[in-house]
Amino acid sequence: MQEARTWRELLGIIIKDNKEKQHLIETLKITPITLTRWINGESDPRPQNLRQLLNALPPKYQELMRKLIKEEQGFGDFTPPILEPMITTIPSEFYSRVLAAHASTTENLRFWSTCNLILQQALGHLDPERRGMSIWVVRCMPPSGPYYKVRSLRESVGIGTPPWGNNLEQNAMFLGAESLAGNVVTLCRPGIIQNLEIEHNLMPATHVEHEKSAAIYPILNAGRVGGVLLVSSAEINYFLPSARVNLVKGYADLVALAFEAKDFYPPEDIALSVMPPHAQQKPYFTRFRQMVSETILQAAAQQQVLSNLQADLLVWQKLEEALLELSIR
């Protein structure tokens, strides 16, 4: 590669690779003309765009790009800012909102509505500039199998900011022993990955699209575990400030209020299996809603009444069994 003297020259060299060029255009949500104007010096990217550009580049270019940006007059340091002291704690009035919602919501809606309320607050708090984040509440599946153990986790309630969608629940899948979330549940201790490009070989981790760093905290109650709060960022090193990590823990503790006592399991009841990659799981979920409807109709034919939540869980259990068998095969 020819030597670049400015960050604009380096960007011009990088986008000679059409795949890299298209990746940058899609990730930054800009036009090819905008990219050309940056390179030619006809316009300057906003600070937010510049940070997104740094994190969208292949790791081998990032340090040089950061160095060249710092050298250009008028740009300075665009590393992610540390959270200000005034926003490093969860507002006390929000605890009151959660408790009020928990007390006033019907049992069938309590889990979803409480989780959604907390995730909306957490997303705005942890990603105020909308630099790219997804947050999932991941639940333990009920014990099953010959040894009656928790064998997998399921993504339950999820929201995000671009490049993720706002509502992630339609993409919910299973996680198992192959995942960092599974490792966190098994050990009942948090997992923080600052750079998935480098650290993915050091511990179990399923790497999803756009995810560059992650912070995962167990959802606990009296020494038992109900699942994890999984927070993923589109930026490397997003969880380096300890304030952000502490916030994730605080929101994980709040999410525990959405769970019933029966949804928490002692560590000895956790025996996670390996789940297939998301790409292999996806075809199994194409008929999910139809399967739920069929389950309710079958129960009605047998003069049984199933709620949507009960039918959902039965379908999740059927899919869990099928995917565990697929993983073994």
Side-chain angles (χ1 to χ4, degrees), residues 216-242:
I216 308 177
Y217 265 84
I219 299 168
L220 302 171
N221 182 6
R224 299 181 172 221
V225 61
V228 301
L229 184 66
L230 167 55
V231 184
S232 301
S233 173
E235 295 188 3
I236 292 170
N237 296 326
Y238 196 77
F239 301 98
L240 273 180
S242 60

PDB file of all heavy atoms in Angstrom, residues 216-242:
ATOM      1  N   ILE A 216     -21.817  -7.653  29.203  1.00  0.00           N
ATOM      2  CA  ILE A 216     -22.886  -8.588  29.550  1.00  0.00           C
ATOM      3  C   ILE A 216     -22.874  -8.821  31.054  1.00  0.00           C
ATOM      4  O   ILE A 216     -21.841  -9.196  31.631  1.00  0.00           O
ATOM      5  CB  ILE A 216     -22.715  -9.931  28.812  1.00  0.00           C
ATOM      6  CG1 ILE A 216     -22.548  -9.692  27.310  1.00  0.00           C
ATOM      7  CG2 ILE A 216     -23.889 -10.850  29.082  1.00  0.00           C
ATOM      8  CD1 ILE A 216     -22.298 -10.939  26.513  1.00  0.00           C
ATOM      9  N   TYR A 217     -24.031  -8.619  31.689  1.00  0.00           N
ATOM     10  CA  TYR A 217     -24.142  -8.819  33.133  1.00  0.00           C
ATOM     11  C   TYR A 217     -25.233  -9.835  33.435  1.00  0.00           C
ATOM     12  O   TYR A 217     -26.305  -9.810  32.821  1.00  0.00           O
ATOM     13  CB  TYR A 217     -24.461  -7.501  33.847  1.00  0.00           C
ATOM     14  CG  TYR A 217     -23.213  -6.816  34.362  1.00  0.00           C
ATOM     15  CD1 TYR A 217     -22.465  -6.003  33.518  1.00  0.00           C
ATOM     16  CD2 TYR A 217     -22.764  -7.015  35.662  1.00  0.00           C
ATOM     17  CE1 TYR A 217     -21.296  -5.393  33.967  1.00  0.00           C
ATOM     18  CE2 TYR A 217     -21.614  -6.408  36.123  1.00  0.00           C
ATOM     19  CZ  TYR A 217     -20.884  -5.598  35.275  1.00  0.00           C
ATOM     20  OH  TYR A 217     -19.723  -5.010  35.727  1.00  0.00           O
ATOM     21  N   PRO A 218     -24.979 -10.723  34.392  1.00  0.00           N
ATOM     22  CA  PRO A 218     -26.021 -11.683  34.772  1.00  0.00           C
ATOM     23  C   PRO A 218     -27.179 -10.985  35.479  1.00  0.00           C
ATOM     24  O   PRO A 218     -26.974  -9.989  36.179  1.00  0.00           O
ATOM     25  CB  PRO A 218     -25.284 -12.644  35.715  1.00  0.00           C
ATOM     26  CG  PRO A 218     -24.147 -11.846  36.270  1.00  0.00           C
ATOM     27  CD  PRO A 218     -23.744 -10.884  35.177  1.00  0.00           C
ATOM     28  N   ILE A 219     -28.371 -11.508  35.281  1.00  0.00           N
ATOM     29  CA  ILE A 219     -29.565 -11.027  35.977  1.00  0.00           C
ATOM     30  C   ILE A 219     -29.788 -11.974  37.153  1.00  0.00           C
ATOM     31  O   ILE A 219     -30.112 -13.152  36.960  1.00  0.00           O
ATOM     32  CB  ILE A 219     -30.783 -11.002  35.033  1.00  0.00           C
ATOM     33  CG1 ILE A 219     -30.502 -10.046  33.860  1.00  0.00           C
ATOM     34  CG2 ILE A 219     -32.047 -10.589  35.777  1.00  0.00           C
ATOM     35  CD1 ILE A 219     -31.504 -10.148  32.730  1.00  0.00           C
ATOM     36  N   LEU A 220     -29.588 -11.475  38.374  1.00  0.00           N
ATOM     37  CA  LEU A 220     -29.498 -12.331  39.556  1.00  0.00           C
ATOM     38  C   LEU A 220     -30.583 -12.021  40.576  1.00  0.00           C
ATOM     39  O   LEU A 220     -31.104 -10.911  40.640  1.00  0.00           O
ATOM     40  CB  LEU A 220     -28.121 -12.160  40.218  1.00  0.00           C
ATOM     41  CG  LEU A 220     -26.885 -12.459  39.358  1.00  0.00           C
ATOM     42  CD1 LEU A 220     -25.622 -12.026  40.079  1.00  0.00           C
ATOM     43  CD2 LEU A 220     -26.834 -13.937  39.011  1.00  0.00           C
ATOM     44  N   ASN A 221     -30.875 -13.036  41.385  1.00  0.00           N
ATOM     45  CA  ASN A 221     -31.787 -12.878  42.511  1.00  0.00           C
ATOM     46  C   ASN A 221     -31.423 -13.931  43.557  1.00  0.00           C
ATOM     47  O   ASN A 221     -31.589 -15.133  43.322  1.00  0.00           O
ATOM     48  CB  ASN A 221     -33.242 -13.052  42.066  1.00  0.00           C
ATOM     49  CG  ASN A 221     -34.221 -12.848  43.211  1.00  0.00           C
ATOM     50  OD1 ASN A 221     -33.846 -12.467  44.314  1.00  0.00           O
ATOM     51  ND2 ASN A 221     -35.493 -13.108  42.950  1.00  0.00           N
ATOM     52  N   ALA A 222     -30.881 -13.472  44.684  1.00  0.00           N
ATOM     53  CA  ALA A 222     -30.541 -14.359  45.801  1.00  0.00           C
ATOM     54  C   ALA A 222     -29.638 -15.518  45.369  1.00  0.00           C
ATOM     55  O   ALA A 222     -29.847 -16.670  45.752  1.00  0.00           O
ATOM     56  CB  ALA A 222     -31.818 -14.896  46.451  1.00  0.00           C
ATOM     57  N   GLY A 223     -28.634 -15.203  44.561  1.00  0.00           N
ATOM     58  CA  GLY A 223     -27.680 -16.223  44.151  1.00  0.00           C
ATOM     59  C   GLY A 223     -28.141 -17.097  43.001  1.00  0.00           C
ATOM     60  O   GLY A 223     -27.412 -17.993  42.561  1.00  0.00           O
ATOM     61  N   ARG A 224     -29.332 -16.840  42.496  1.00  0.00           N
ATOM     62  CA  ARG A 224     -29.845 -17.577  41.341  1.00  0.00           C
ATOM     63  C   ARG A 224     -29.795 -16.681  40.107  1.00  0.00           C
ATOM     64  O   ARG A 224     -29.810 -15.464  40.230  1.00  0.00           O
ATOM     65  CB  ARG A 224     -31.292 -18.040  41.598  1.00  0.00           C
ATOM     66  CG  ARG A 224     -31.404 -18.984  42.787  1.00  0.00           C
ATOM     67  CD  ARG A 224     -32.840 -19.436  42.997  1.00  0.00           C
ATOM     68  NE  ARG A 224     -32.920 -20.481  43.996  1.00  0.00           N
ATOM     69  CZ  ARG A 224     -33.697 -21.553  43.911  1.00  0.00           C
ATOM     70  NH1 ARG A 224     -34.496 -21.701  42.861  1.00  0.00           N
ATOM     71  NH2 ARG A 224     -33.709 -22.462  44.863  1.00  0.00           N
ATOM     72  N   VAL A 225     -29.763 -17.293  38.940  1.00  0.00           N
ATOM     73  CA  VAL A 225     -29.610 -16.530  37.701  1.00  0.00           C
ATOM     74  C   VAL A 225     -30.815 -16.743  36.802  1.00  0.00           C
ATOM     75  O   VAL A 225     -31.311 -17.865  36.659  1.00  0.00           O
ATOM     76  CB  VAL A 225     -28.290 -16.902  36.975  1.00  0.00           C
ATOM     77  CG1 VAL A 225     -28.252 -18.374  36.580  1.00  0.00           C
ATOM     78  CG2 VAL A 225     -28.068 -16.019  35.755  1.00  0.00           C
ATOM     79  N   GLY A 226     -31.301 -15.646  36.204  1.00  0.00           N
ATOM     80  CA  GLY A 226     -32.446 -15.725  35.304  1.00  0.00           C
ATOM     81  C   GLY A 226     -32.079 -15.495  33.850  1.00  0.00           C
ATOM     82  O   GLY A 226     -32.870 -15.771  32.955  1.00  0.00           O
ATOM     83  N   GLY A 227     -30.876 -14.986  33.610  1.00  0.00           N
ATOM     84  CA  GLY A 227     -30.433 -14.681  32.255  1.00  0.00           C
ATOM     85  C   GLY A 227     -29.371 -13.604  32.298  1.00  0.00           C
ATOM     86  O   GLY A 227     -28.641 -13.483  33.288  1.00  0.00           O
ATOM     87  N   VAL A 228     -29.285 -12.801  31.230  1.00  0.00           N
ATOM     88  CA  VAL A 228     -28.282 -11.729  31.175  1.00  0.00           C
ATOM     89  C   VAL A 228     -28.870 -10.500  30.505  1.00  0.00           C
ATOM     90  O   VAL A 228     -29.843 -10.584  29.746  1.00  0.00           O
ATOM     91  CB  VAL A 228     -27.010 -12.149  30.390  1.00  0.00           C
ATOM     92  CG1 VAL A 228     -26.348 -13.353  31.008  1.00  0.00           C
ATOM     93  CG2 VAL A 228     -27.330 -12.391  28.917  1.00  0.00           C
ATOM     94  N   LEU A 229     -28.271  -9.357  30.797  1.00  0.00           N
ATOM     95  CA  LEU A 229     -28.482  -8.144  30.016  1.00  0.00           C
ATOM     96  C   LEU A 229     -27.294  -8.032  29.069  1.00  0.00           C
ATOM     97  O   LEU A 229     -26.144  -7.926  29.514  1.00  0.00           O
ATOM     98  CB  LEU A 229     -28.574  -6.917  30.916  1.00  0.00           C
ATOM     99  CG  LEU A 229     -28.889  -5.603  30.184  1.00  0.00           C
ATOM    100  CD1 LEU A 229     -30.292  -5.638  29.591  1.00  0.00           C
ATOM    101  CD2 LEU A 229     -28.746  -4.404  31.124  1.00  0.00           C
ATOM    102  N   LEU A 230     -27.561  -8.101  27.771  1.00  0.00           N
ATOM    103  CA  LEU A 230     -26.518  -8.117  26.739  1.00  0.00           C
ATOM    104  C   LEU A 230     -26.532  -6.788  25.998  1.00  0.00           C
ATOM    105  O   LEU A 230     -27.486  -6.451  25.310  1.00  0.00           O
ATOM    106  CB  LEU A 230     -26.780  -9.271  25.768  1.00  0.00           C
ATOM    107  CG  LEU A 230     -26.026  -9.320  24.444  1.00  0.00           C
ATOM    108  CD1 LEU A 230     -24.529  -9.276  24.642  1.00  0.00           C
ATOM    109  CD2 LEU A 230     -26.426 -10.552  23.647  1.00  0.00           C
ATOM    110  N   VAL A 231     -25.453  -6.006  26.154  1.00  0.00           N
ATOM    111  CA  VAL A 231     -25.338  -4.691  25.518  1.00  0.00           C
ATOM    112  C   VAL A 231     -24.186  -4.738  24.518  1.00  0.00           C
ATOM    113  O   VAL A 231     -23.042  -5.014  24.898  1.00  0.00           O
ATOM    114  CB  VAL A 231     -25.089  -3.578  26.566  1.00  0.00           C
ATOM    115  CG1 VAL A 231     -25.077  -2.216  25.882  1.00  0.00           C
ATOM    116  CG2 VAL A 231     -26.150  -3.618  27.664  1.00  0.00           C
ATOM    117  N   SER A 232     -24.487  -4.489  23.252  1.00  0.00           N
ATOM    118  CA  SER A 232     -23.475  -4.519  22.188  1.00  0.00           C
ATOM    119  C   SER A 232     -23.329  -3.132  21.573  1.00  0.00           C
ATOM    120  O   SER A 232     -24.323  -2.420  21.385  1.00  0.00           O
ATOM    121  CB  SER A 232     -23.867  -5.509  21.092  1.00  0.00           C
ATOM    122  OG  SER A 232     -24.017  -6.808  21.614  1.00  0.00           O
ATOM    123  N   SER A 233     -22.100  -2.758  21.252  1.00  0.00           N
ATOM    124  CA  SER A 233     -21.826  -1.469  20.622  1.00  0.00           C
ATOM    125  C   SER A 233     -21.205  -1.668  19.247  1.00  0.00           C
ATOM    126  O   SER A 233     -20.472  -2.640  19.018  1.00  0.00           O
ATOM    127  CB  SER A 233     -20.895  -0.629  21.491  1.00  0.00           C
ATOM    128  OG  SER A 233     -20.493   0.551  20.800  1.00  0.00           O
ATOM    129  N   ALA A 234     -21.479  -0.734  18.352  1.00  0.00           N
ATOM    130  CA  ALA A 234     -20.875  -0.755  17.020  1.00  0.00           C
ATOM    131  C   ALA A 234     -19.484  -0.136  17.027  1.00  0.00           C
ATOM    132  O   ALA A 234     -18.857  -0.025  15.981  1.00  0.00           O
ATOM    133  CB  ALA A 234     -21.769  -0.011  16.028  1.00  0.00           C
ATOM    134  N   GLU A 235     -18.995   0.273  18.221  1.00  0.00           N
ATOM    135  CA  GLU A 235     -17.676   0.891  18.330  1.00  0.00           C
ATOM    136  C   GLU A 235     -16.751   0.038  19.203  1.00  0.00           C
ATOM    137  O   GLU A 235     -17.182  -0.526  20.216  1.00  0.00           O
ATOM    138  CB  GLU A 235     -17.787   2.291  18.936  1.00  0.00           C
ATOM    139  CG  GLU A 235     -18.541   3.268  18.057  1.00  0.00           C
ATOM    140  CD  GLU A 235     -18.466   4.695  18.574  1.00  0.00           C
ATOM    141  OE1 GLU A 235     -17.783   4.919  19.590  1.00  0.00           O
ATOM    142  OE2 GLU A 235     -19.097   5.574  17.954  1.00  0.00           O
ATOM    143  N   ILE A 236     -15.496  -0.015  18.811  1.00  0.00           N
ATOM    144  CA  ILE A 236     -14.462  -0.678  19.611  1.00  0.00           C
ATOM    145  C   ILE A 236     -14.212   0.139  20.877  1.00  0.00           C
ATOM    146  O   ILE A 236     -14.285   1.363  20.866  1.00  0.00           O
ATOM    147  CB  ILE A 236     -13.171  -0.820  18.777  1.00  0.00           C
ATOM    148  CG1 ILE A 236     -13.391  -1.815  17.627  1.00  0.00           C
ATOM    149  CG2 ILE A 236     -11.989  -1.249  19.637  1.00  0.00           C
ATOM    150  CD1 ILE A 236     -12.272  -1.836  16.616  1.00  0.00           C
ATOM    151  N   ASN A 237     -13.960  -0.552  21.986  1.00  0.00           N
ATOM    152  CA  ASN A 237     -13.593   0.074  23.267  1.00  0.00           C
ATOM    153  C   ASN A 237     -14.690   0.960  23.846  1.00  0.00           C
ATOM    154  O   ASN A 237     -14.407   1.852  24.643  1.00  0.00           O
ATOM    155  CB  ASN A 237     -12.298   0.897  23.128  1.00  0.00           C
ATOM    156  CG  ASN A 237     -11.100   0.036  22.790  1.00  0.00           C
ATOM    157  OD1 ASN A 237     -11.011  -1.108  23.224  1.00  0.00           O
ATOM    158  ND2 ASN A 237     -10.185   0.562  22.000  1.00  0.00           N
ATOM    159  N   TYR A 238     -15.940   0.716  23.466  1.00  0.00           N
ATOM    160  CA  TYR A 238     -17.015   1.582  23.956  1.00  0.00           C
ATOM    161  C   TYR A 238     -17.213   1.452  25.463  1.00  0.00           C
ATOM    162  O   TYR A 238     -17.679   2.376  26.123  1.00  0.00           O
ATOM    163  CB  TYR A 238     -18.318   1.259  23.233  1.00  0.00           C
ATOM    164  CG  TYR A 238     -19.363   2.343  23.388  1.00  0.00           C
ATOM    165  CD1 TYR A 238     -19.281   3.526  22.651  1.00  0.00           C
ATOM    166  CD2 TYR A 238     -20.422   2.211  24.279  1.00  0.00           C
ATOM    167  CE1 TYR A 238     -20.205   4.541  22.796  1.00  0.00           C
ATOM    168  CE2 TYR A 238     -21.368   3.225  24.436  1.00  0.00           C
ATOM    169  CZ  TYR A 238     -21.256   4.385  23.689  1.00  0.00           C
ATOM    170  OH  TYR A 238     -22.182   5.388  23.836  1.00  0.00           O
ATOM    171  N   PHE A 239     -16.832   0.292  26.013  1.00  0.00           N
ATOM    172  CA  PHE A 239     -17.052   0.057  27.444  1.00  0.00           C
ATOM    173  C   PHE A 239     -15.776   0.224  28.273  1.00  0.00           C
ATOM    174  O   PHE A 239     -15.693  -0.289  29.388  1.00  0.00           O
ATOM    175  CB  PHE A 239     -17.670  -1.327  27.651  1.00  0.00           C
ATOM    176  CG  PHE A 239     -18.991  -1.490  26.938  1.00  0.00           C
ATOM    177  CD1 PHE A 239     -19.053  -2.127  25.705  1.00  0.00           C
ATOM    178  CD2 PHE A 239     -20.144  -0.958  27.467  1.00  0.00           C
ATOM    179  CE1 PHE A 239     -20.255  -2.253  25.036  1.00  0.00           C
ATOM    180  CE2 PHE A 239     -21.355  -1.071  26.805  1.00  0.00           C
ATOM    181  CZ  PHE A 239     -21.410  -1.729  25.587  1.00  0.00           C
ATOM    182  N   LEU A 240     -14.804   0.954  27.710  1.00  0.00           N
ATOM    183  CA  LEU A 240     -13.596   1.236  28.494  1.00  0.00           C
ATOM    184  C   LEU A 240     -13.887   2.129  29.698  1.00  0.00           C
ATOM    185  O   LEU A 240     -13.370   1.875  30.792  1.00  0.00           O
ATOM    186  CB  LEU A 240     -12.526   1.888  27.607  1.00  0.00           C
ATOM    187  CG  LEU A 240     -11.600   0.934  26.844  1.00  0.00           C
ATOM    188  CD1 LEU A 240     -10.604   1.729  26.004  1.00  0.00           C
ATOM    189  CD2 LEU A 240     -10.869   0.005  27.788  1.00  0.00           C
ATOM    190  N   PRO A 241     -14.705   3.172  29.575  1.00  0.00           N
ATOM    191  CA  PRO A 241     -15.027   3.952  30.777  1.00  0.00           C
ATOM    192  C   PRO A 241     -15.778   3.082  31.787  1.00  0.00           C
ATOM    193  O   PRO A 241     -16.797   2.468  31.458  1.00  0.00           O
ATOM    194  CB  PRO A 241     -15.927   5.077  30.248  1.00  0.00           C
ATOM    195  CG  PRO A 241     -15.637   5.153  28.787  1.00  0.00           C
ATOM    196  CD  PRO A 241     -15.331   3.751  28.366  1.00  0.00           C
ATOM    197  N   SER A 242     -15.274   3.011  33.013  1.00  0.00           N
ATOM    198  CA  SER A 242     -15.913   2.175  34.032  1.00  0.00           C
ATOM    199  C   SER A 242     -17.344   2.629  34.314  1.00  0.00           C
ATOM    200  O   SER A 242     -18.183   1.834  34.726  1.00  0.00           O
ATOM    201  CB  SER A 242     -15.091   2.195  35.322  1.00  0.00           C
ATOM    202  OG  SER A 242     -14.991   3.522  35.825  1.00  0.00           O
TER     203      SER A 242
END
